Amino acid sequence: MTKLNLFRNRPVAVIGAGVMGVGIVQVALLAGHPVHLFDVREGAAAAAAEQLLATLARLADKGKLTPEDVAAARGQLSVATTLADLRDCALVIEAIVENLGVKQALMRDLEAIVSQDCVLASNTSSLSITAVARGLEAPGRVVGMHFFNPVPLMRLVEVVSGLATEPAVADAIHLLAQDWGKTAVHAKSTPGFIVNRIARPFYAETLALLQEQAATPAVLDACLRGAGFRMGPCELMDLIGHDTNFAVTQSVYEANFFDKRYQPSLVQREMVDGGLLGRKSGRGFYRYPEAAGKTIDGDAGTPPPPAAPLVLHGDDAMADLLAARLAASGLGFTRESTAAGGETRLRIGDGVLLLTDGRCAAERAQASGTGDLALFDWPVGPAAAASTTPVVALAWTVASQASPEFAARAADVLRALGWLPQRVTDVPGLVVARTIAMLVNEASDAVEQGVCDAAGADAAMTLGVNYPAGPFAWLAQWGEAATVRVLDALDAFYRGERYRVSPRLRRATWASNSPATR
Ligand code: NAI
């Protein structure tokens, strides 16, 4: 096969007239293909086709399509009554039930019908493409074409290659997806592919923090929204449905031979067992329809000036951020350089406010001999802006050795700096730092293991799940040394497999010249 788009204007079949199948039909039709739609359920394909044409007509009413587009789509769409009707197709995309045996049987049936150069694509989100292709005479023509829901709106397509997939087939599907207006990313068939794998820690870290009673769902959501995520993990899990989210986590965990890094959460299983599935059941972490329980404390506003003098030590970007926010706050402060290798810190009287490096506040208080010690989370996205609008949440904590007066003063200072300080218990890596470090770690392992490249990981996470930045963009911002320090601290604290550092990241810390305190 050549780089030319083999499929241009040739018939495409979609099997499965569910939410994904119909979305794929819409995209293929509007790209100009004749499309056959088939579903095993009597009447399902015809009903879905009618509904789709009505949707396209509505889009034309709103001016998003032309009447000619709709007329052309109507002329190009046909409902197949048997698989034999698909014999002229250049490409068949299956979006049927997520069951390996059923998908394998369908592929075998298709192989007996379609021509030799017809590509067989699967929209599976969790099954191995290698396994789907097993037993076929020509397994090289089977490839994953993993769309995201809703298909017409989500730009990402993961093009998944199994062991047998011919590279030319994957390349042709990659090109086709781009022609259809999508951003295609190559992935190796491994559990969760790219997005469903790298995204696991986004949920897992919050579920772990909830299990440790570190903070409420509302606080955790607010802190991650403060880092630029459109939704926090709890509200997102409520939207996806805890049954679905738990099933994906479980399937990735089992597929990885029960690697503890992917271990599902008791908190979530309890919710699934109790039928607290999220929005669809009226209750998850929040109550619906009004999402009750989402409010957090922490009025923005100018607090009384702290009684203690403020001295900012540091010369790095974090010190500059604190200086800019201190200047905007109107609080008087002095700025001094740190000794070589010294870390950025804000002295509040005899106490100290520091950026988390992954260790607990109590541990750092003990190591430094300063009991009055507070830590704040990694400012990321909106929380990292020098401007204090919008005011966003930022997690912080205080050592158990600290006096209540110092804790109150530290909170006042954080508020004056323009954040909504959210106190969490003294957990390692607070909220955003541990979540981002773990997302980066997972992405690094995906690249280390040849699942995707770094650019593919960033594109997949920003387009497939709307992350505000890709993991490698965060890594470029925070550096390998700081990221690995957070992971090592988590690993040392919890002792287990979950926080082991990706070999790729570890090697990078040795190779980079970034100073240890970056
Ligand atoms: P769905 O349940 O809405 O639709 C599946 C359709 O396939 C049904 O209409 C069913 O009658 C039909 N079907 C089942 N077995 C069949 C067979 N042997 N031959 C022909 N038709 C058959 O499912 P949905 O959500 O559209 O998912 C379809 C596929 O897409 C699954 O593999 C799923 O993992 C994958 N996927 C789903 C996403 C989602 O958000 N729902 C996202 C990405 C992938």
Side-chain angles (χ1 to χ4, degrees), residues 22-23 25-27 29-30 50-71 73-74 150-153:
V22 172
V25 170
Q26 177 175 335
V27 170
L29 277 177
L30 293 176
E50 269 322 299
Q51 225 176 342
L52 172 61
L53 290 171
T55 304
L56 297 183
R58 272 199 305 279
L59 289 173
D61 289 345
K62 288 186 194 160
K64 299 197 168 158
L65 294 177
T66 65
E68 294 76 42
D69 291 333
V70 182
R74 186 177 288 278
V151 178
L153 299 183

Side-chain angles (χ1 to χ4, degrees), residues 15-21 38-41 44 83 94-99 102-103 106 122-127 146-149:
I15 306 185
V19 59
M20 296 303 288
F38 175 76
D39 197 290
V40 79
R41 262 187 309 126
L83 283 182
E94 72 75 18
I96 66 166
V97 61
E98 188 75 338
N99 176 297
V102 180
K103 287 194 197 284
L106 174 65
S122 172
N123 183 48
T124 181
S125 51
S126 66
L127 300 172
H146 184 211
F147 291 85
F148 289 74
N149 189 13

